[in-house]
């Protein structure tokens, strides 16, 4: 099977950073062209920690949408040690908050106000379990003694296994998984435990950070891993298992903040997101599995209706610009200066 075009149910992005202000206005149209909905990450400064903040952020996103767009932002709350069970009840009843995001304090971009010790928020998790509100996780330990490349498997072993035992009914998503260990844990979990997988972790291994010199635009968290892990993720994404669904983790940062002595983590992929997934699936002859991964599994997990319209991708290479505008500051998109092999019609 080597089709020149594919048409399938419009996808959703279950893990997306839209930022705010001018950057939001600059990056949102790329997502809105491709996806019907997105789970919007709450790691703004200050974080989106209350329903009132989520409602206001949602209004800013809607105001930034291009004319005529039907895109729907699905909001999340940033879990802090100040979050209360009452906040969870309010969120569950709000109709606009679809999940709560757990950042281990200091684990990633804007995670300083995350949770130091999970035990401190157990009453909150108890309420989430009761309300059926999913917990989304940046699944890496922050222990400085743990090797950066092992932080996800150690999180799975130390924290996630415990969490699944303590809260057996809690709906959970292990976000942007990067290792065979994480994929195995999720595969063996009940249906209410899921995982998102990014395009970069399906297409690149850790060589991409270092080959030909240090490549800051391939730096994200969790960091890219060995080839065997990439292969395990491709297997998880393309085997039809409903635990796994699309989440780009597209994370725009200004070019100057990436190309810096202390470059920040995050890869921008919204300009070619579904096209890049198509490449990854095509590479293993699994284009027929793309629709379920991109358009069905996430909606089913979040108990939302599947989309009813479609998109079409053409097998037609196009060159990604060296830079794009991130709202008055340049940004460097994934594949900058080289080709993407599928084009959105
Ligand atoms: C994300 C960001 O920039 O907000 N960066 C990243 O490398 N993935 C944060 C995150 O998702 O961990
Ligand atoms: Zn993260
Ligand atoms: Zn993210």
């Amino acid at each position: 099977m080597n089709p020149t075009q594919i048409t399938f149910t419009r996808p959703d992005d279950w893990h997306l950073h839209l930022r705010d202000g001018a950057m939001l206005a600059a990056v949102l149209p790329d997502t809105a062209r491709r996806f019907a909905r997105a789970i919007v990450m709450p790691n703004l400064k200050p974080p989106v920690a209350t329903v009132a903040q989520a409602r206001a952020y949602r209004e800013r996103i809607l105001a930034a949408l291009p004319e005529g767009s039907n895109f729907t932002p699905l909001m999340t709350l940033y879990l802090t040690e100040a979050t209360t069970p009452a906040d969870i009840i309010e969120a569950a009843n709000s109709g606009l908050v679809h999940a709560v995001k757990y950042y281990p304090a200091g684990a990633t971009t804007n995670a300083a106000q995350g949770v130091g010790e999970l035990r401190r928020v157990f009453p909150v998790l108890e309420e989430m379990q009761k309300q059926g509100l999913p917990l989304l996780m940046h699944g890496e330990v922050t222990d400085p003694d743990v090797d950066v490349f092992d932080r996800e498997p150690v999180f799975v072993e130390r924290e996630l296994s415990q969490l699944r035992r303590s809260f057996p009914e809690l709906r959970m998503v292990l976000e942007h998984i990067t290792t065979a260990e994480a994929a195995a844990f999720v595969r063996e979990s009940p249906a209410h435990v899921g995982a998102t997988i990014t395009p970069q972790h399906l297409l690149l291994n850790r060589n991409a950070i270092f080959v030909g010199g240090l490549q800051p635009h391939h730096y994200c968290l969790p960091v890219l891993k060995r080839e065997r892990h990439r292969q395990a993720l491709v297997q998880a994404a393309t085997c039809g298992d409903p635990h796994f669904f699309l989440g780009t983790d597209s994370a725009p940062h200004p070019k100057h903040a990436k190309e810096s002595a202390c470059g920040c983590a995050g890869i921008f992929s919204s300009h070619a997101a579904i096209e890049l997934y198509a490449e990854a699936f095509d590479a293993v002859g699994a284009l027929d599995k793309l629709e379920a991964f991109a358009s069905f599994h996430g909606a089913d997990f979040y108990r939302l209706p599947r989309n009813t319209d479609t998109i079409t991708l053409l097998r037609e290479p196009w060159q990604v610009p060296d830079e794009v505008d991130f709202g008055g500051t340049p940004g460097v998109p994934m594949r900058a200066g080289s080709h993407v092999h599928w084009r959105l019609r």
Side-chain angles (χ1 to χ4, degrees):
M1 190 187 70
N2 204 11
T4 56
Q5 64 173 65
I6 49 173
T7 296
F8 57 99
T9 304
R10 184 176 294 281
D12 303 298
D13 185 348
W14 302 101
H15 181 132
L16 175 66
H17 300 272
L18 284 173
R19 314 303 192 205
D20 213 342
M23 192 180 275
L24 162 64
V27 301
L28 180 59
D30 283 335
T31 292
R33 260 190 84 203
R34 292 168 174 79
F35 298 99
R37 300 168 289 203
I39 284 279
V40 180
M41 290 295 133
N43 61 333
L44 303 183
K45 275 181 178 169
V48 180
T50 66
V51 173
Q53 286 168 324
R55 182 173 285 115
Y57 185 28
R58 181 171 180 277
E59 291 304 319
R60 297 199 296 280
I61 295 167
L62 293 175
L65 275 174
E67 268 298 296
S69 172
N70 291 321
F71 175 78
T72 304
L74 307 170
M75 309 312 292
T76 60
L77 289 193
Y78 187 117
L79 182 63
T80 75
E81 291 184 11
T83 306
T84 65
D87 293 328
I88 298 306
I89 295 169
E90 188 188 356
N93 292 330
S94 70
L96 65 105
V97 174
H98 292 265
V100 175
K101 180 67 187 272
Y102 164 43
Y103 293 102
T108 187
T109 304
N110 295 348
Q113 283 153 90
V115 176
E117 231 187 296
L118 211 48
R119 257 184 310 117
R120 296 190 200 128
V121 296
F122 269 18
V124 171
L125 300 184
E126 196 73 59
E127 192 60 44
M128 287 175 61
Q129 177 168 254
K130 194 166 144 200
Q131 299 291 334
L133 198 59
L135 178 72
L136 317 183
M137 286 170 276
H138 181 104
E140 289 192 289
V141 296
T142 56
D143 182 344
D145 292 337
V146 176
D147 189 279
V148 164
F149 291 94
D150 297 334
R151 287 181 179 189
E152 182 181 274
V154 173
F155 177 88
V156 169
E157 187 192 298
R158 282 192 199 162
E159 288 204 38
L160 192 49
S161 311
Q162 174 64 40
L163 203 58
R164 198 176 57 181
R165 274 194 300 275
S166 306
F167 300 95
E169 307 293 321
L170 180 61
R171 299 168 65 208
M172 300 191 274
V173 182
L174 188 55
E175 298 292 336
H176 48 42
I177 59 168
T178 63
T179 59
E181 290 88 339
F185 178 91
V186 172
R187 188 183 316 112
E188 288 151 19
S189 291
H192 64 269
V193 177
T196 54
I197 310 180
T198 76
Q200 63 265 26
H201 293 104
L202 291 175
L203 289 164
L204 303 172
N205 65 38
R206 66 190 194 178
N207 285 357
I209 311 168
F210 305 107
V211 164
L214 189 60
Q215 306 292 334
H217 301 293
H218 287 156
Y219 174 54
C220 66
L221 287 171
V223 73
L224 296 170
K225 301 298 192 300
R226 285 180 180 277
E227 176 61 11
R228 78 175 173 89
H229 294 293
R230 188 191 69 80
Q231 287 177 11
L233 300 175
V234 169
Q235 161 65 18
T238 60
C239 72
D241 183 336
H243 286 100
F244 301 102
F245 37 93
L246 184 159
T248 61
D249 191 23
S250 181
H253 290 278
K255 178 180 176 177
H256 67 81
K258 299 276 303 167
E259 298 178 5
S260 141
C262 184
C264 44
I267 296 178
F268 179 75
S269 61
S270 300
H271 64 295
I274 190 63
E275 300 90 323
L276 290 165
Y277 283 105
E279 274 190 19
F281 278 62
D282 194 19
V284 294
L287 278 175
D288 60 323
K289 298 291 200 304
L290 180 61
E291 181 179 51
F293 174 80
S295 316
F296 296 163
H297 296 167
D300 296 351
F301 179 91
Y302 278 94
R303 300 174 177 164
L304 293 168
R306 293 178 180 182
N307 297 317
T308 50
D309 65 332
T310 60
I311 62 165
T312 295
L313 298 180
L314 311 175
R315 187 190 292 280
E316 204 178 282
W318 57 283
Q319 187 166 357
V320 176
D322 291 341
E323 292 181 0
V324 294
D325 172 46
F326 278 173
T329 185
V332 178
M334 189 169 166
R335 282 287 165 82
S338 55
H339 289 84
V340 169
H341 299 279
W342 289 87
R343 179 198 292 276
L344 181 72
R345 189 175 70 191

